[in-house]
Amino acid sequence: MSNRRITKKFHSRYLADFFVECSQDPEWEKKLRELKIEDKLNTVEAGFPADFAEIFPETQGLNLQYCIERITLVDVPRAASCWWPTDENTHFYMAYPAEFPQSSIYMAIDFPDGHENCCG
């Protein structure tokens, strides 16, 4: 039981850093833009942002596994979103440790060029 607790602690400790790195990495920005509502990215298949291991070398060997889902604003708890300035181009995401989905955090992202819907 304590191993599970420690695993959760490590996953929770780096979750926000992982999420921020995803929003800053050009490859991950593309992945996030392409997600449809309720689609999910999992680091088991998608890997991690390029700079994550460099910035957080202590995460090597921790076997961190995260998921990111695109969600709607109504799916974001009010306490997490009440201050967000949003418009029609704002995307909403939830990230969580794959093994501990109850430990989720939320983010709103306004992509700079607004062309995410240009072809569909």
Side-chain angles (χ1 to χ4, degrees):
M1 183 143 124
S2 70
N3 270 350
R4 187 160 166 78
R5 197 180 103 240
I6 291 168
T7 300
K8 183 178 180 182
K9 184 176 277 193
F10 280 128
H11 275 83
S12 297
R13 178 178 297 160
Y14 295 103
L15 177 59
D17 297 317
F18 161 73
F19 208 7
V20 169
E21 286 304 310
C22 289
S23 70
Q24 303 298 312
D25 180 273
E27 269 186 51
W28 272 83
E29 179 182 318
K30 184 178 186 308
K31 292 176 187 182
L32 293 173
R33 283 178 187 249
E34 292 173 352
L35 275 181
K36 304 285 185 237
I37 300 296
E38 296 184 8
D39 278 355
K40 175 172 59 173
L41 289 170
N42 188 320
T43 57
V44 170
E45 293 97 27
F48 281 83
D51 291 340
F52 185 76
E54 270 185 51
I55 297 169
F56 304 100
E58 68 275 16
T59 62
Q60 296 301 307
L62 292 179
N63 197 27
L64 300 177
Q65 296 178 6
Y66 295 113
C67 297
I68 296 178
E69 293 182 31
R70 183 165 175 203
I71 58 175
T72 63
L73 179 58
V74 297
D75 295 323
V76 180
R78 182 166 171 73
S81 67
C82 62
W83 57 270
W84 288 348
T86 63
D87 64 31
E88 66 276 353
N89 292 319
T90 304
H91 291 205
F92 304 97
Y93 299 92
M94 171 178 68
Y96 53 90
E99 199 175 333
F100 308 100
Q102 71 280 9
S103 299
S104 56
I105 60 174
Y106 302 86
M107 184 183 296
I109 301 175
D110 289 320
F111 293 108
D113 63 12
H115 294 311
E116 64 276 1
N117 294 321
C118 70
C119 306

